[in-house]
Amino acid sequence: MSMESYKLESHPVCEKEAVIQGDQYRITLLTSSLVRLEYSEKGVFEDRATQSVLNRDFSVPKFKVIEEVDKLSVYTENIELHYDKKAFTANGLEIKVKNMGGGWENTWHYGEEPDDLRGTARTLDMTEGAKIISGARLMEDKYAGKLPMERGVISKGGFSVIDDSHSMVLTEDGWIAPREEGITDMYYFGYGHRYQECLKDFYHLCGKTPLLPRYALGNWWSRYHRYTEEEYKELVERFEKEEIPFSVAVVDMDWHLVDDVDPKYGSGWTGYTWNKKFFPNPKEFMSWLHEHGMKITLNVHPADGVRAFEEPYKRVAEKMGIDPKSEIPVQFDPADPHFMEVYLKDLHHPLEEEGVDFWWIDWQQGGVTKIPGLDPLWMLNHYHYLDSNWKGNRSLTFSRYAGVGSHRYPIGFSGDTVISWETLNFQPYFTNTASNIGYGWWSHDIGGHMMGVRDDELMARWVQYGVFSPINRLHSTDNPFNGKEPWKFDKITESVMKEYLRLRHAMVPYLYTMNRRAHVDDLPLIEPMYYMEPELREAYEVPNEYYFGSELLISPITEPQDKTARAAKAKTWLPEGLWADFFTGAVYHGGRMINLWRGVENMPVLMKAGAIVPMKDMTVFDNSVENPKAMEVKVFPAEDGSFTLWEDQGDTAVDEEENWAATQFTFTGGAQDQFVIGKAMGNLSVIPNKRSWKLVFTGVKGTTVHVETDGEVVQAKVAYCHETASMIVEIPEISVEREICVTFTDGLMLAENNLEERCYAMLEKAQMEYDVKSKIMENVKKQGRNAVASIVAMDLNPAVLGELCEILNA
């Protein structure tokens, strides 16, 4: 059986000039920092692509070889390698990273475990934070505490190693084959602190991050609950009435027969037959969801194969050579190419023809198949993803991580976690380090999945983090008290959830541009702080902080608020320069570590100087994530800045240059501060002919504004928001083929933070003595920023003091 249609494009053969080879060893200089190390007693070496590695066609780097009878030394610009030409041992093979200023700590001996910054893990199932709570012994890990984290390619020591000795090879007919036994096949990454360069070469070696469909970047609704068609429709209509946007409807396992399965067939854990009691007309139901702007994914646990009670059993059994009258189950066998083809085309395609957009592959049954070393999870991810575009749409699947190269099969499902502050606190770190192995699209159960206790503040903080995480998917287990509908929570939490869920959809234009950046430029949406400042100790001391695309810095709140201050803190490293709060417009000076305090209404989201963030104007609500007609652009004009908004149809099967439309935004300071919206270029058929623009210049003083388009004056509505120190310029609909120029005729000046107003607002909500509040305000009014010393002497609650110090020292 041929699987030719499931063949990945790859370029696995390296340039012969990059190879140094002996009878039993082969060393390939892929780059001046990336080395492939192979050893085989039989002298058999692998030139095919593997599960992890697709491309070895790098340009040949400059290197020097000094060879003696029993010694080989190789020198490149960035590493030096010494090898005794024998079977790899710690004494016989070492590689040193040059230009690191260190000694032994920059040298790797074969067999040593590199001290890297970790990658990710297969799943967070049954974890609370980094602790495994059930089903396995606690396993120690230096970084994560308990959860074993897999290797990444980013390291403070300058090097890491990926062992590819045991992965399957990809064959020419689109299938897999085991490796030759007894071989060693490793990749040494010796990039020093050139982290982004290291990641770029990793993506070339292992394959690029695919482009996600646009709808995946909106909000996802998910709940393990026995929904009926009527109940689900009522829920969606309630979301629309409450103006809460969702772009993906997840239906957990009860879409198929579960409780009605005759025990003689086993449990209803696996299923492919709609439960018509719950969903009497599945095709109509899915069409209805599509009409309401939502895609649909169904949960599937494939481990039990196809049994005789299933509607598709007869055709699947016949295709597999089983007499349907025998009722012999069709076993799930991912090691059989014939089964995999039938599995995809005869089980899943008919459901996709009815309206299923993609599948939630919920594999929880371990890593064993009939072929030793072949992981069924990888097989499911690989073939489901490659098969998922057969209708002409963009590929997508939703499943757990299955090792190096899994970034090629987005999106990641991180599993079932405990509802707790510990779990929330661990997720930003876990998501950040996943970028170190190129895995940029984790989806967590936002709000937590199971157990735990009701905590409305925790829910608010989790949704805030979810909105500024790769994929925002609300989820919960089968418990009537554990739904994540915003109206189930107190009024403050409900308001926060609604505001942030709307913000997520507003940010889709920015997120989709970052989606393209990840695909084209090999820069993941989430970048740990040490990517930009690898030499600074502080960048490694904030494991939960990260860059969210090119313009924003996020420092999520993952601890309960102080009851007196009614605020919680996030330890934050602010790089050099000016930073503006995305929500309040407060301006901060960088180059320091600071505690950022926020009430439950908001979290620390900072715009870099010169940041330009294009969004959808959500003034008039709709549930669409299509390229919007009404745009909002937030700008922090502390420096010159530019941003290119990229847009296409959003779900094309093949990414091609001609699919895209590009709109460039530019802010230029100087004699006359000016913001320019360039003419849209490229494929204009994918965007509206005309657009309105709401421009928000944050952290500035009010001034006069002049707006022109191609030399014609535009009557724009201009306002100033004192509370957020923002100039708001609203421009009516104008053709996207015309340039719009916004000139600040009297110059655009940054605003001073209003210390008195901010201190008053902070103190007003604090649960403390009124007289003490008044005394603090007296000091602020008299001394301004110099009031810190007087306030410190008042012996205040530490959180109150911390919040005041943040305001006064910003």
Side-chain angles (χ1 to χ4, degrees):
M1 177 63 63
S2 173
M3 300 289 282
E4 186 73 30
S5 61
Y6 299 106
K7 185 179 176 182
L8 266 179
E9 182 181 352
S10 63
H11 304 277
V13 179
C14 69
E15 299 290 340
K16 61 182 181 180
E17 293 83 4
V19 176
I20 305 164
Q21 186 169 342
D23 291 339
Q24 295 173 313
Y25 69 84
R26 185 167 72 169
I27 297 172
T28 308
L29 282 301
L30 295 171
T31 75
S32 63
S33 297
L34 176 57
V35 184
R36 186 185 189 193
L37 305 165
E38 295 174 274
Y39 187 85
S40 167
E41 289 288 347
K42 298 178 181 179
V44 177
F45 304 108
E46 185 57 71
D47 285 324
R48 291 172 292 181
T50 72
Q51 289 174 302
S52 298
V53 172
L54 298 183
N55 306 305
R56 305 184 188 99
D57 59 336
F58 292 83
S59 299
V60 180
K62 292 181 180 180
F63 62 91
K64 177 181 179 182
V65 180
I66 299 177
E67 186 169 5
E68 302 173 21
V69 174
D70 59 353
K71 185 179 180 182
L72 180 71
S73 295
V74 183
Y75 300 87
T76 76
E77 178 185 1
N78 296 307
I79 62 168
E80 59 181 74
L81 178 152
H82 303 284
Y83 172 46
D84 65 3
K85 299 185 177 181
K86 300 176 183 177
F88 293 163
T89 64
N91 296 322
L93 175 60
E94 71 172 39
I95 308 179
K96 179 181 178 180
V97 180
K98 297 161 66 173
N99 308 315
M100 286 287 289
W104 62 268
E105 67 269 23
N106 307 133
T107 301
W108 174 74
H109 298 90
Y110 176 80
E112 291 179 342
E113 287 290 309
D115 189 19
D116 64 77
L117 290 163
R118 289 301 188 261
T120 192
R122 186 180 182 98
T123 181
L124 294 179
D125 281 317
M126 301 303 291
T127 62
E128 182 174 16
K131 182 175 67 177
I132 300 171
I133 63 166
S134 176
R137 64 184 177 85
L138 297 182
M139 293 173 281
E140 295 294 332
D141 181 276
K142 178 178 178 181
Y143 289 89
K146 304 295 181 184
L147 180 74
M149 301 276 280
E150 297 182 21
R151 181 83 52 228
V153 296
I154 305 298
S155 170
K156 285 179 71 176
F159 64 87
S160 190
V161 176
I162 298 297
D163 189 349
D164 196 36
S165 305
H166 306 290
S167 67
M168 300 286 137
V169 295
L170 307 184
T171 60
E172 285 296 316
D173 62 358
W175 193 238
I176 49 87
R179 286 290 195 104
E180 182 77 23
E181 291 186 9
I183 60 98
T184 298
D185 187 0
M186 308 182 79
Y187 292 83
Y188 172 89
F189 292 78
Y191 285 79
H193 289 167
R194 304 183 330 271
Y195 294 157
Q196 290 182 330
E197 180 187 342
C198 177
L199 205 55
K200 190 172 187 65
D201 286 345
F202 168 84
Y203 280 126
H204 183 78
L205 180 73
C206 299
K208 279 186 168 290
T209 295
L211 197 66
L212 296 186
R214 190 178 179 94
Y215 64 79
L217 299 172
N219 299 312
W220 297 29
W221 176 258
S222 180
R223 186 182 181 189
Y224 179 25
H225 175 72
R226 286 173 170 81
Y227 279 113
T228 65
E229 177 179 322
E230 181 181 3
E231 185 182 6
Y232 213 106
K233 287 181 176 180
E234 289 175 353
L235 176 68
V236 171
E237 288 172 341
R238 175 78 183 269
F239 284 143
E240 292 172 343
K241 181 180 178 182
E242 303 267 352
E243 298 189 351
I244 307 170
F246 285 94
S247 61
V248 176
V250 182
V251 183
D252 214 316
M253 60 181 287
D254 288 285
W255 68 271
H256 63 72
L257 294 174
V258 177
D259 298 328
D260 293 340
V261 174
D262 191 319
K264 73 177 183 179
Y265 299 115
S267 76
W269 185 249
T270 298
Y272 299 96
T273 304
W274 280 95
N275 185 335
K276 296 298 181 64
K277 291 180 181 178
F278 293 169
F279 298 93
N281 191 337
K283 186 174 182 180
E284 187 278 332
F285 169 66
M286 291 187 282
S287 177
W288 185 91
L289 286 174
H290 292 155
E291 290 168 4
H292 286 254
M294 298 181 76
K295 301 294 185 178
I296 181 170
T297 181
L298 301 182
N299 175 281
V300 61
H301 302 103
D304 288 340
V306 188
R307 291 158 293 169
F309 69 86
E310 300 278 16
E311 287 182 1
Y313 172 75
K314 183 177 184 295
R315 73 170 174 270
V316 171
E318 289 174 346
K319 290 283 184 69
M320 294 303 299
I322 296 172
D323 180 0
K325 294 179 181 178
S326 71
E327 295 198 347
I328 295 173
V330 178
Q331 297 297 319
F332 177 77
D333 185 6
D336 177 359
H338 179 50
F339 169 79
M340 286 301 292
E341 186 172 49
V342 172
Y343 166 81
L344 293 166
K345 293 183 178 179
D346 289 274
L347 280 178
H348 294 84
H349 284 197
L351 292 163
E352 291 165 24
E353 287 174 346
E354 289 184 338
V356 176
D357 294 292
F358 64 102
W359 292 93
W360 173 9
I361 310 302
D362 201 353
W363 179 263
Q364 299 169 302
Q365 283 70 37
V368 178
T369 65
K370 292 178 181 178
I371 299 177
L374 178 61
D375 184 354
L377 176 61
W378 185 89
M379 292 292 285
L380 287 165
N381 293 352
H382 178 77
Y383 287 104
H384 263 287
Y385 186 82
L386 294 179
D387 181 70
S388 63
N389 66 0
W390 70 274
K391 292 193 296 182
N393 53 283
R394 194 165 294 166
S395 295
L396 188 68
T397 193
F398 181 41
S399 185
R400 290 171 175 83
Y401 177 81
V404 177
S406 290
H407 64 276
R408 300 192 302 262
Y409 317 115
I411 293 168
F413 165 54
S414 67
D416 302 336
T417 55
V418 173
I419 299 169
S420 72
W421 285 98
E422 290 79 9
T423 301
L424 171 58
N425 185 53
F426 182 66
Q427 283 184 358
Y429 162 78
F430 181 80
T431 310
N432 291 357
T433 61
S435 293
N436 296 339
I437 196 66
Y439 200 67
W441 295 111
W442 266 126
S443 170
H444 303 302
D445 288 357
I446 297 302
H449 179 69
M450 60 193 179
M451 304 186 331
V453 299
R454 163 99 179 218
D455 188 329
D456 288 22
E457 180 192 351
L458 173 61
M459 185 62 201
R461 293 301 191 194
W462 222 320
V463 169
Q464 289 171 347
Y465 169 64
V467 166
F468 288 95
S469 71
I471 303 294
N472 188 39
R473 177 180 53 85
L474 307 188
H475 188 54
S476 54
T477 193
D478 187 18
N479 184 309
F481 296 101
N482 194 9
K484 299 300 193 296
E485 296 89 344
W487 52 84
K488 285 181 174 285
F489 298 90
D490 65 42
K491 292 300 181 184
I492 293 175
T493 301
E494 177 185 6
S495 175
V496 170
M497 291 177 70
K498 288 179 176 179
E499 180 182 345
Y500 271 77
L501 291 170
R502 291 173 192 135
L503 175 60
R504 176 70 183 203
H505 272 231
M507 292 191 70
V508 167
Y510 174 73
L511 290 167
Y512 195 69
T513 297
M514 294 302 107
N515 175 29
R516 184 184 187 276
R517 185 184 80 145
H519 173 62
V520 174
D521 299 327
D522 302 314
L523 293 169
L525 172 67
I526 304 294
E527 295 183 276
M529 298 305 293
Y530 45 78
Y531 278 24
M532 300 296 185
E533 298 179 295
E535 307 302 332
L536 288 182
R537 169 180 52 83
E538 293 88 346
Y540 299 90
E541 295 177 350
V542 283
N544 282 9
E545 187 182 351
Y546 53 94
Y547 292 98
F548 192 65
S550 60
E551 310 299 291
L552 300 175
L553 183 153
I554 313 297
S555 191
I557 302 283
T558 59
E559 63 179 35
Q561 68 181 9
D562 179 86
K563 292 182 180 179
T564 300
R566 294 189 67 187
K569 71 178 185 301
K571 180 182 177 182
T572 305
W573 168 246
L574 287 182
E576 290 287 347
L578 294 177
W579 299 85
D581 186 286
F582 185 83
F583 302 105
T584 69
V587 176
Y588 294 83
H589 293 263
R592 57 186 172 142
M593 195 75 79
I594 186 172
N595 284 331
L596 296 178
W597 294 82
R598 298 292 185 271
V600 73
E601 298 82 8
N602 272 318
M603 66 180 284
V605 175
L606 301 176
M607 304 170 68
K608 71 178 185 182
I612 299 172
V613 183
M615 303 190 298
K616 175 181 179 177
D617 184 351
M618 294 286 285
T619 303
V620 178
F621 175 81
D622 65 52
N623 201 47
S624 172
V625 291
E626 301 300 320
N627 298 324
K629 192 171 186 178
M631 295 290 297
E632 177 177 347
V633 183
K634 296 199 76 165
V635 185
F636 178 40
E639 291 181 4
D640 291 358
S642 65
F643 186 95
T644 300
L645 173 68
W646 290 95
E647 299 167 287
D648 69 355
Q649 178 268 345
D651 197 18
T652 52
V654 180
D655 178 38
E656 297 176 337
E657 188 75 25
E658 56 265 30
N659 293 349
W660 293 92
T663 305
Q664 186 168 43
F665 308 99
T666 307
F667 174 77
T668 308
Q672 223 175 27
D673 295 326
Q674 200 168 73
F675 182 78
V676 176
I677 303 171
K679 299 177 182 179
M681 307 295 287
N683 182 12
L684 302 189
S685 68
V686 300
I687 61 176
N689 295 327
K690 294 182 178 181
R691 278 176 158 162
S692 63
W693 300 90
K694 180 180 180 181
L695 310 178
V696 181
F697 300 90
T698 194
V700 299
K701 297 179 180 179
T703 186
T704 53
V705 176
H706 178 76
V707 182
E708 289 187 356
T709 176
D710 292 347
E712 298 178 8
V713 175
V714 176
Q715 297 301 316
K717 181 180 178 182
V718 180
Y720 184 78
C721 178
H722 182 80
E723 184 180 2
T724 61
S726 298
M727 282 284 298
I728 302 168
V729 181
E730 296 186 62
I731 301 170
E733 285 188 2
I734 291 175
S735 169
V736 296
E737 297 185 67
R738 304 186 73 174
E739 181 181 89
I740 301 172
C741 183
V742 180
T743 303
F744 300 91
T745 50
D746 295 327
L748 194 58
M749 304 291 292
L750 293 183
E752 292 280 338
N753 291 339
N754 193 313
L755 302 183
E756 290 186 24
E757 287 187 6
R758 294 188 186 278
C759 286
Y760 182 89
M762 172 257 145
L763 288 168
E764 187 173 41
K765 64 182 175 63
Q767 309 293 291
M768 56 186 287
E769 298 92 336
Y770 291 112
D771 290 346
V772 175
K773 292 184 181 186
S774 297
K775 182 64 176 177
I776 293 169
M777 282 307 303
E778 288 177 16
N779 286 325
V780 171
K781 289 178 179 179
K782 290 179 181 178
Q783 303 175 57
R785 297 186 185 279
N786 296 326
V788 171
S790 300
I791 292 171
V792 168
M794 295 178 67
D795 195 26
L796 298 172
N797 167 281
V800 171
L801 176 61
E803 199 170 1
L804 287 165
C805 287
E806 176 201 337
I807 294 170
L808 295 172
N809 290 325

